[in-house]
Amino acid sequence: MHGRLKIKTTAEQAAEKQKEREGKRKLYLGGVTKAFEKRSSGTHDEEGLKITAQLLAANPDAATLWNFRREILLALKGDDESWEKLLTGELAMVESCLMKNHKSYGAWHHRFWVMMNFPKPPWKAELSLCDKYLKLDERNFHCWDYRRFVVLGSNQQPEDELKFSQHLIEHNLSNYSAWHYRSKLLPLVHPPPSNTPHPISEGALIKELQTVVEAVFTDPSDQSPWFFLRWLVNRQEKVPRMLQVGYVRYKGDSGLVICVFSQPVPQRAVPFIRLNGADSDETLIWYAPNDEDYSNVWVAELNLSSVEAHTISLIIDPSMTEMLNVGEGSTQAIEWVTTLEVGGEELSDTARSTLEEVKDNCVTLDELDPGNKWVLLTLVDVMWALDCHTHQKKIHSYLSQLQELDVLRNKYYADMKSKLAMETSLKQYRIVAEVGSKFELSGHSLTRITLSHLLASTASIDLSRNDLTSISPLSNLVACRKLILDDNQIQNLAPLAGLKALESLSLTHNKIQSLEQLKVLEGLSALTELNVSANPVCDLDNTGEDIRKILPHIKTLILR
Amino acid sequence: MEAELPTEYDVIVVGTGLVECIVAAASARVGKKVLHIDKNDYYGGQWASFTLRNIEQWVEEHTASHQETKNTEECALEEGEKLAPTSDPRRVYSKVKLSWHAQKAPRPSINNTCSSEDDSKLKSCSDEAPTASEESATKDDSGEGSSEETTTPKAETKDEAKEIKTWSQEEMMQLSRKFNLDLAPKLLFSRGALVELLISSNVARYAEFKCITRVLTWLVNGGDEGSLLVVPCSRSDVFTTSSVSLVEKRLLMKFLEFCHSYDQQPEQLEEYADKPFVDFLKSRKLTDNITHFVTDSIAMVVGDVPCKEGLERMKLFLTSLGRYGTTPFLFSMYGCGELPQAFCRLCAVFEGTYILRRPVSSLIINSGNTCLGLVSEGQRFKCSHLVIDAAYAPQEYAAIGSSPKQPSLSRGIFIIDRSILPNEKEQLTLLRLPAKDGNPQIVTILEVGGGSGVCPKDLYCVHMTCQGYDAEEDLKIAVQRLFGCGATSQPTVLMSLYFNLVDLSACDLVSGAPTNVYLCSGPDTELDYDFAIDQAKNVFTRMFPEEEFLPRAPDPDEIVFDNAGAEPKDGDNFDSNTKMGEKDEATVNPENRTDEEKALAADEVLSSTKEGSS
């Protein structure tokens, strides 16, 4: 028979809980005191293990107790067999702590320590422990870290791990950690041939794209697969290429040797250049115009009077020597030994058709689900990769849509538009223009200057009627003689301070407020023409005189 | 004990079917004095689950002649009282037919039962001489392989990974207790009425569940016979399936997302409010392929139902999805017969009295057509309300066999030696065969395996249910499709059981009976339990309009037992886990223990078996 039921009131329950908690608190504090006493007296015994085990089971985040526990363990370490037994017990103990808090730093750290101390670590069991905790919380980064450690130790093959990530993704396509893990494993299992810009081999790329496209069709609003998809279509040049090398004279015999690279490189990457005719191997002192450690453009001063013959030779690698004529005939001579490629390497046919397919799929998706940010963003990426010039209009309109959809990142998309405008017109410019000629990109609402290193050899540049506020990338325009920056929002001219070839600078309708802002131009001895009309600085008294004072080289100064 | 049995009750419940049990529990829960009585020696009535031996017995009872010699019991009646004799509850069943297709005894040359893990009796024999019998078993196995290659064509194409055991009737009967065969197999929608009731009433602690792991469909492509396919219903299904194209994936997901919250966008529906569901699907540009999945397997309707109904069904399916598993359904572990019992436990905890194996001969009715109680084994029991299984009820209250023809269910139970669509892991499968491509009726098919506690490991139990009057005939096409005519890849049927059952769920059970007699129908055709819950709630509120229906029952740690004076000891345990507290209570009151161990709150069970197969 069941006893007569009486149900406790909530007040009774609360009081009971309170009492229980009070009791536990006392026990816990007592245990901590005892453990600390033992530690300060240097007592390392079984009892210490027992006390810390209980305390840590209740609070796995007490790092000091873990430390003490490790001290005891090391003190008790005996022969391999007993040591192994002790450590096996530790694994069980840590797991009980993990059950309490599966994101405890202390517990996971201890597990690492135990495994590293094991004579023969039980790797296989640890792998299934990881499976278990990643099932519990698929983004538990402690467990992901631990898994990588176990995979390394157990010699688990990346192929198997790839299958594991596949399994997780199939279960939940929002598992960002699993997608990311995949992006780390794929290059190991399917490495790309060294000369391709793809992250993985083409065969794997096609397969992976197929899967991820299915994921984005299933749920286009989930960002995890999109990140993976964008990683797949993103092409990364592995080895920076030297795009150009040249010489520009800026005053009399003074000039600069210029090296342009496809990616920012450190100084040590600049090839050795020997000055022909000079008996000694006069070394050039390279510096980056932007004063950074890594730069796309490296320049070195070279005074022609020190070079007897009018050629210098350039040793790019032992098998390749280029001769560069810096002869007298060309007073502003720039001779480029390498031609410039803006878009990087051409796509292979397979890669192209794969990308085309992704593009078509995204277009379909955009029709089915108009206004999805990730679809548009990926379309931008893919079309850009295919050919930013032919798709320029489309890309531009997608970016405009994105600006409306994703207001918080409005400026980011504006920067993308600027990059698009720069890249397409640079491509066009390189196709039609002669070396050293004029580059013009005015009235494009540019907010940002990109790829400025590709203009390092250009003599005349017009970026007027844009929205530029910062012009720091313009420090790369080392060969520029005429620069037009009218109708922008520029205040700071410091990036122009190193443009030694600059002869004419137009800055009308900007935000130059003070003489100090102009003072940075004082080292430009070639600069003879300056137009600062329609800037706040013009409203000051005696502006003209003051400017001439600080910039004595100026011959033509326009203020109004 | 019987001598002391009180004879006056607030409520007497006759029959232990699900509806009766819920009413009994609800009544006891609010403090009513309840007597729950059943002539069977098992719980569940038409909702019961049986072992193999018991189902044979049940079949025997239901195939024998129905003419029971009714010994009208003597009972002192007062003036104006009359007796209304109860009916034989077997009257709802007909065309019961059990057939064994497995061979009678294991093949003499093979002693393979010794390797069966499940057979405890034989295991003990192998324990005695483990090496010898194991050796002989392996020898036998290899011998079997070579002999089969020559004798049966099956062996040539057999699955390399897993050899299919040949079962015999004898072997199966030895494992009789491993079977829990449902008379009325049903599923719970994870957000359906029963799950909510189990949680809100805290009856969930008396039950365990498994998630249905896949929903299958029969897809006929062009002119082919058709084949089984997994229905992509969850997001991960849609992602991984290869049975829909890329664009279809998007269309399907979009449609599913829309249905999930269709009632929040009424403007999109106006035009289709009264039009058929299938027209609405067309307006959404769904392909034929997806339309098949959506109507037949997700909404589980026929295409011409009104749009609103279709969408409601979609929503029920989708909101239930992902609560506990990758499909919206739960299956009661150890068979559906566990559910009535779970409610009985609650009733018993709240002092309901139970007597099984106790026939009720008549109800006592006074001149004002009010029921005063009943007569059982000559003893008179008084009550204010009488709840009775309609099958038991006097013929004049619930007529059966009357014209026009009453709706009836056709049922089939099959034990097979492998899944209808084998998978690496054991699956719990729901399949709905639509009434097309030659199949006369919509057949709801459930396949459950050893993991759900309804049959031994490696065997599967298939339940088929449809509307109809001749089970064997009605299910013919379904049986042919799934079990075929012995094609090698298809399962072999070891045992089959057909029966028909009168469906009283749509009958008028109110107007025929006295106002304080409440009839409860047996199982209906629907997949879920909503109808039963509604009926129970309805009966309860008719009896006690002022009372709350199944308020939350207290947990053990909220209950003060008379002998539970001792505080739980803290000992060295700092853990504040509440389960510990429960265990303390369980040791204090050993009677509770078995229940305690079995009873885990539904959420706990389900969180630990998230996929239903871990």
Side-chain angles (χ1 to χ4, degrees):
Chain A
M1 289 287 283
H2 291 274
R4 179 119 198 117
L5 286 173
K6 188 187 158 210
I7 294 158
K8 287 176 198 168
T9 62
T10 37
E12 273 174 337
Q13 279 186 56
E16 216 168 80
K17 278 257 161 68
Q18 177 66 30
K19 203 170 160 193
E20 205 180 304
R21 215 175 291 142
E22 196 58 36
K24 274 177 190 162
R25 203 178 67 93
K26 263 191 204 145
L27 270 169
Y28 181 79
L29 289 179
V32 170
T33 318
K34 199 156 181 201
F36 281 17
E37 268 166 21
K38 273 183 181 287
R39 195 185 191 197
S40 53
S41 68
T43 320
H44 296 124
D45 55 10
E46 296 277 355
E47 196 195 4
L49 280 184
K50 208 173 152 195
I51 294 174
T52 49
Q54 288 172 353
L55 292 169
L56 287 165
N59 173 20
D61 296 315
T64 316
L65 292 173
W66 284 114
N67 283 337
F68 181 40
R69 196 171 174 81
R70 282 189 283 273
E71 286 164 19
I72 301 174
L73 287 167
L74 287 175
L76 296 178
K77 181 175 176 177
D79 58 11
D80 265 12
E81 198 183 324
S82 68
W83 182 226
E84 198 155 289
K85 207 175 149 200
L86 209 54
L87 292 176
T88 309
E90 285 305 287
L91 290 180
M93 185 262 162
V94 172
E95 199 176 350
S96 68
C97 294
L98 288 176
M99 276 189 237
K100 175 105 184 170
N101 174 9
H102 59 267
K103 282 192 171 175
S104 162
Y105 282 84
W108 284 107
H109 178 69
H110 192 67
R111 208 168 182 90
F112 272 101
W113 183 86
V114 170
M115 288 303 278
M116 285 190 281
N117 276 281
F118 242 106
K120 279 183 212 141
W123 294 114
K124 279 283 167 254
E126 291 308 285
L127 212 53
S128 46
L129 176 114
C130 292
D131 286 354
K132 182 173 150 192
Y133 282 92
L134 285 178
K135 208 168 193 178
L136 216 60
D137 175 357
E138 50 195 25
R139 286 182 159 197
N140 184 344
F141 62 89
H142 302 274
C143 190
W144 277 108
D145 277 348
Y146 189 66
R147 187 178 185 96
R148 279 187 282 274
F149 164 74
V150 172
V151 164
L152 219 62
S154 66
N155 228 345
Q156 168 92 339
Q157 292 306 300
E159 285 86 349
D160 294 326
E161 286 299 282
L162 208 53
K163 269 186 210 143
F164 170 72
S165 75
Q166 176 90 24
H167 175 75
L168 292 182
I169 290 163
E170 281 174 4
H171 179 67
N172 177 10
L173 62 89
S174 305
N175 189 340
Y176 183 78
S177 307
W179 288 108
H180 174 74
Y181 195 35
R182 214 167 167 71
S183 75
K184 293 284 159 199
L185 293 165
L186 280 166
L188 301 177
V189 182
H190 305 287
S194 56
N195 57 350
T196 66
H198 304 298
I200 52 177
S201 73
E202 271 181 359
L205 183 73
I206 291 167
K207 225 174 129 243
E208 290 300 313
L209 275 171
Q210 199 178 351
T211 313
V212 75
V213 164
E214 295 203 342
V216 300
F217 265 74
T218 305
D219 191 351
S221 61
D222 193 289
Q223 62 176 16
S224 303
W226 285 113
F227 271 103
F228 185 73
L229 172 52
R230 294 181 72 203
W231 172 77
L232 282 175
V233 298
N234 181 26
R235 296 176 311 137
Q236 189 74 58
E237 202 177 55
K238 270 161 231 121
V239 189
R241 291 169 301 138
M242 190 161 82
L243 300 174
Q244 300 177 313
V245 63
Y247 178 76
V248 57
R249 251 192 248 194
Y250 59 88
K251 198 180 174 193
D253 281 341
S254 305
L256 292 171
V257 182
I258 308 169
C259 276
V260 181
F261 297 87
S262 60
Q263 289 173 39
V265 294
Q267 192 200 340
R268 63 175 181 277
V270 179
F272 183 69
I273 289 178
R274 177 183 294 154
L275 303 175
N276 235 9
D279 289 334
S280 61
D281 284 350
E282 189 180 331
T283 36
L284 296 168
I285 300 162
W286 294 101
Y287 67 92
N290 58 4
D291 266 345
E292 299 283 344
D293 291 340
Y294 277 71
S295 173
N296 288 85
V297 179
W298 287 92
V299 291
E301 295 274 354
L302 175 63
N303 196 316
L304 278 188
S305 59
S306 67
V307 185
E308 281 174 19
H310 294 294
T311 52
I312 50 178
S313 63
L314 177 72
I315 302 153
I316 294 167
D317 65 59
S319 64
M320 189 175 160
T321 305
E322 292 284 349
M323 302 300 277
L324 184 60
N325 183 9
V326 290
E328 276 178 275
S330 47
T331 44
Q332 292 291 341
I334 307 174
E335 291 249 353
W336 302 99
V337 289
T338 47
T339 41
L340 194 86
E341 294 169 57
V342 180
E345 289 159 53
E346 284 301 301
L347 289 165
S348 74
D349 288 348
T350 352
R352 178 165 291 279
S353 65
T354 313
L355 284 180
E356 287 283 357
E357 202 179 313
V358 174
K359 186 194 89 186
D360 294 345
N361 281 327
C362 285
V363 170
T364 315
L365 208 46
D366 187 43
E367 283 161 11
L368 290 168
D369 269 272
N372 181 303
K373 165 188 162 180
W374 294 101
V375 176
L376 297 173
L377 208 50
T378 308
L379 272 170
V380 168
D381 277 3
V382 173
M383 288 187 168
W384 205 307
L386 279 166
D387 185 348
C388 69
H389 193 73
T390 20
H391 296 301
Q392 190 190 1
K393 273 204 181 117
K394 273 266 166 205
I395 298 175
H396 194 272
S397 89
Y398 290 140
L399 286 170
S400 299
Q401 278 189 58
L402 280 164
Q403 280 182 306
E404 277 174 38
L405 279 170
D406 191 8
V407 183
L408 286 175
R409 289 175 191 78
N410 190 340
K411 291 260 161 69
Y412 169 72
Y413 300 121
D415 283 356
M416 298 254 295
K417 278 182 170 175
S418 305
K419 189 177 176 208
L420 179 70
M422 286 294 286
E423 198 171 317
T424 45
S425 52
L426 271 170
K427 203 160 191 182
Q428 191 78 345
Y429 163 71
R430 282 297 159 191
I431 292 164
V432 299
E434 290 289 309
V435 163
S437 71
K438 188 177 167 177
F439 176 78
E440 193 221 309
L441 192 60
S442 65
H444 275 77
S445 318
L446 298 187
T447 52
R448 189 175 154 227
I449 300 159
T450 50
L451 303 172
S452 65
H453 60 281
L454 300 178
L455 293 169
S457 63
T458 307
S460 170
I461 294 160
D462 181 355
L463 295 171
S464 59
R465 295 186 292 116
N466 284 307
D467 282 324
L468 298 172
T469 45
S470 159
I471 52 167
S472 26
L474 294 189
S475 61
N476 281 337
L477 309 187
V478 285
C480 183
R481 283 178 284 140
K482 187 175 182 191
L483 181 59
I484 305 171
L485 296 169
D486 300 346
D487 287 295
N488 280 296
Q489 323 275 333
I490 301 162
Q491 287 192 30
N492 181 5
L493 300 174
L496 306 181
L499 305 188
K500 292 185 173 160
L502 198 60
E503 292 168 1
S504 165
L505 176 62
S506 182
L507 289 162
T508 67
H509 291 95
N510 275 294
K511 295 196 168 165
I512 296 151
Q513 320 241 358
S514 64
L515 292 169
E516 279 73 49
Q517 286 167 340
L518 287 169
K519 201 165 187 285
V520 298
L521 304 174
E522 67 188 342
L524 304 181
S525 52
L527 183 64
T528 52
E529 263 184 59
L530 179 66
N531 185 345
V532 287
S533 62
N535 274 291
V537 72
C538 303
D539 301 336
L540 303 173
D541 295 338
N542 294 329
T543 315
E545 273 176 43
D546 290 344
I547 291 175
R548 280 180 199 283
K549 233 180 259 170
I550 54 171
L551 303 172
H553 307 288
I554 303 287
K555 291 191 179 111
T556 318
L557 176 68
I558 303 166
L559 293 171
R560 298 249 182 304
Chain B
M1 188 165 162
E2 257 177 53
E4 297 166 15
L5 200 63
T7 53
E8 279 187 43
Y9 295 89
D10 295 320
V11 183
I12 296 181
V13 183
V14 182
T16 52
L18 182 61
V19 182
E20 299 97 275
C21 291
I22 297 174
V23 175
S27 305
R29 177 69 187 85
V30 295
K32 306 296 172 190
K33 202 171 173 195
V34 176
L35 173 66
H36 204 165
I37 197 165
D38 195 330
K39 77 178 280 234
N40 296 323
D41 57 356
Y42 54 86
Y43 286 91
Q46 296 169 52
W47 307 76
S49 305
F50 291 119
T51 65
L52 208 48
R53 216 173 288 285
N54 289 350
I55 202 136
E56 280 198 326
Q57 204 179 328
W58 182 88
V59 168
E60 207 171 290
E61 281 166 18
H62 285 78
T63 42
S65 162
H66 274 202
Q67 278 137 20
E68 193 186 16
T69 44
K70 204 142 201 178
N71 42 341
T72 28
E73 288 165 329
E74 291 297 314
C75 179
L77 290 180
E78 287 170 26
E79 205 188 318
E81 291 179 348
K82 61 173 191 220
L83 290 177
T86 55
S87 311
D88 182 340
R90 289 179 292 176
R91 65 189 180 135
V92 293
Y93 290 101
S94 60
K95 299 200 171 82
V96 178
K97 183 184 167 194
L98 183 141
S99 331
W100 279 97
H101 309 281
Q103 59 209 350
K104 198 122 193 97
R107 265 183 281 173
S109 64
I110 299 152
N111 185 20
N112 56 6
T113 47
C114 252
S115 59
S116 159
E117 294 168 33
D118 298 305
D119 196 328
S120 53
K121 201 172 143 199
L122 282 158
K123 192 149 193 191
S124 67
C125 100
S126 73
D127 282 344
E128 283 166 27
T131 38
S133 71
E134 259 168 46
E135 266 177 23
S136 71
T138 44
K139 247 183 232 161
D140 287 337
D141 280 349
S142 58
E144 180 186 18
S146 58
S147 71
E148 259 193 14
E149 261 169 52
T150 49
T151 51
T152 45
K154 264 190 190 180
E156 288 169 17
T157 50
K158 77 183 166 208
D159 195 357
E160 285 175 6
K162 205 170 183 185
E163 199 171 321
I164 302 294
K165 178 181 157 77
T166 312
W167 289 79
S168 71
Q169 184 178 345
E170 209 169 275
E171 285 169 291
M172 286 165 69
M173 286 312 284
Q174 273 166 352
L175 300 174
S176 163
R177 292 165 70 85
K178 294 263 174 196
F179 288 90
N180 279 301
L181 303 175
D182 292 324
L183 289 184
K186 280 182 181 290
L187 297 180
L188 294 82
F189 273 104
S190 298
R191 290 205 188 275
L194 184 51
V195 168
E196 299 305 341
L197 180 66
L198 287 169
I199 292 170
S200 69
S201 66
N202 213 357
V203 174
R205 60 170 39 252
Y206 301 120
E208 277 180 69
F209 298 94
K210 277 267 184 185
C211 294
I212 293 290
T213 53
R214 62 182 182 185
V215 178
L216 297 183
T217 187
W218 184 268
L219 190 65
V220 178
N221 250 335
D224 71 354
E225 281 176 26
S227 55
L228 287 173
L229 274 184
V230 177
V231 176
C233 48
S234 69
R235 193 177 71 153
S236 59
D237 288 347
V238 175
F239 169 40
T240 49
T241 185
S242 53
S243 49
V244 298
S245 73
L246 201 56
V247 172
E248 282 178 329
K249 286 187 182 195
R250 189 77 285 270
L251 289 171
L252 180 57
M253 279 303 288
K254 256 181 95 156
F255 183 68
L256 297 180
E257 279 160 23
F258 166 77
C259 293
H260 201 278
S261 55
Y262 78 93
D263 32 11
Q264 284 157 28
Q265 309 158 48
E267 71 285 351
Q268 295 203 35
L269 283 171
E270 263 167 37
E271 201 187 324
Y272 292 92
D274 302 315
K275 291 189 183 161
F277 186 47
V278 71
D279 285 9
F280 180 70
L281 300 185
K282 274 190 195 123
S283 79
R284 291 257 150 184
K285 298 192 182 75
L286 297 194
T287 58
D288 289 351
N289 196 19
I290 309 180
T291 304
H292 171 87
F293 289 127
V294 165
T295 51
D296 288 333
S297 302
I298 300 178
M300 294 186 282
V301 293
V302 280
D304 49 14
V305 298
C307 179
K308 195 149 180 0
E309 190 188 328
L311 287 171
E312 255 163 43
R313 301 280 308 230
M314 290 294 290
K315 188 174 177 174
L316 176 64
F317 186 102
L318 294 168
T319 48
S320 289
L321 203 62
R323 184 177 194 182
Y324 299 124
T326 51
T327 77
F329 306 106
L330 297 178
F331 178 72
S332 170
M333 187 89 187
Y334 311 111
C336 302
E338 289 292 306
L339 287 171
Q341 295 187 59
F343 285 94
C344 289
R345 282 198 187 106
L346 181 72
C347 180
V349 167
F350 283 88
E351 297 170 78
T353 306
Y354 275 82
I355 330 177
L356 293 186
R357 233 175 290 133
R358 178 85 182 226
V360 172
S361 62
S362 330
L363 312 187
I364 307 163
I365 311 294
N366 73 3
S367 54
N369 199 26
T370 302
C371 177
L372 300 176
L374 54 77
V375 181
S376 167
E377 295 180 351
Q379 203 177 353
R380 189 182 166 121
F381 294 91
K382 279 171 123 181
C383 65
S384 326
H385 301 279
L386 190 122
V387 180
I388 186 166
D389 177 355
Y392 263 105
Q395 171 78 4
E396 60 264 39
Y397 299 169
I400 287 182
S402 61
S403 58
K405 229 175 178 185
Q406 280 165 312
S408 157
L409 298 184
S410 287
R411 287 272 296 115
I413 302 175
F414 307 89
I415 297 168
I416 55 176
D417 63 351
R418 79 199 86 177
S419 170
I420 51 174
L421 187 64
N423 191 286
E424 286 164 43
K425 282 186 191 163
E426 184 182 305
Q427 304 279 322
L428 282 84
T429 310
L430 169 68
L431 162 64
R432 189 175 171 276
L433 281 188
K436 58 184 183 193
D437 305 315
N439 185 41
Q441 292 287 347
I442 299 164
V443 184
T444 304
I445 298 165
L446 208 57
E447 185 194 70
V448 277
S452 325
V454 299
C455 58
K457 194 169 165 277
D458 298 333
L459 286 183
Y460 286 86
C461 176
V462 171
H463 288 285
M464 296 190 186
T465 311
C466 72
Q467 289 176 334
Y469 299 93
D470 184 344
E472 195 165 3
E473 187 59 33
D474 296 335
L475 301 173
K476 208 167 166 181
I477 302 286
V479 167
Q480 209 167 29
R481 281 187 186 168
L482 298 188
F483 314 135
C485 27
T488 43
S489 59
Q490 279 181 316
T492 310
V493 178
L494 304 170
M495 188 217 83
S496 64
L497 169 62
Y498 293 100
F499 62 86
N500 283 84
L501 165 66
V502 178
D503 176 9
L504 292 169
S505 63
C507 287
D508 171 18
L509 296 172
V510 180
S511 54
T515 46
N516 67 337
V517 173
Y518 309 87
L519 304 191
C520 306
S521 71
D524 60 342
T525 30
E526 288 298 323
L527 182 62
D528 61 14
Y529 287 96
D530 285 20
F531 176 79
I533 309 291
D534 278 351
Q535 199 180 42
K537 216 183 256 182
N538 180 279
V539 167
F540 179 79
T541 25
R542 272 157 61 207
M543 293 195 295
F544 309 112
E546 309 291 310
E547 299 281 4
E548 193 183 344
F549 179 69
L550 283 171
R552 185 178 170 277
D555 279 325
D557 60 350
E558 298 162 347
I559 297 171
V560 186
F561 290 95
D562 290 341
N563 54 348
E567 291 289 321
K569 277 182 197 139
D570 273 315
D572 286 332
N573 170 35
F574 307 108
D575 197 351
S576 64
N577 198 331
T578 50
K579 266 190 222 155
M580 297 302 289
E582 284 176 21
K583 263 183 198 152
D584 285 345
E585 298 281 359
T587 44
V588 170
N589 186 352
E591 241 188 72
N592 259 17
R593 183 157 206 162
T594 43
D595 283 359
E596 280 309 319
E597 283 169 352
K598 265 177 116 175
L600 284 156
D603 284 347
E604 276 173 38
V605 176
L606 296 160
S607 64
S608 64
T609 59
K610 221 169 183 178
E611 274 182 291
S613 51
S614 62

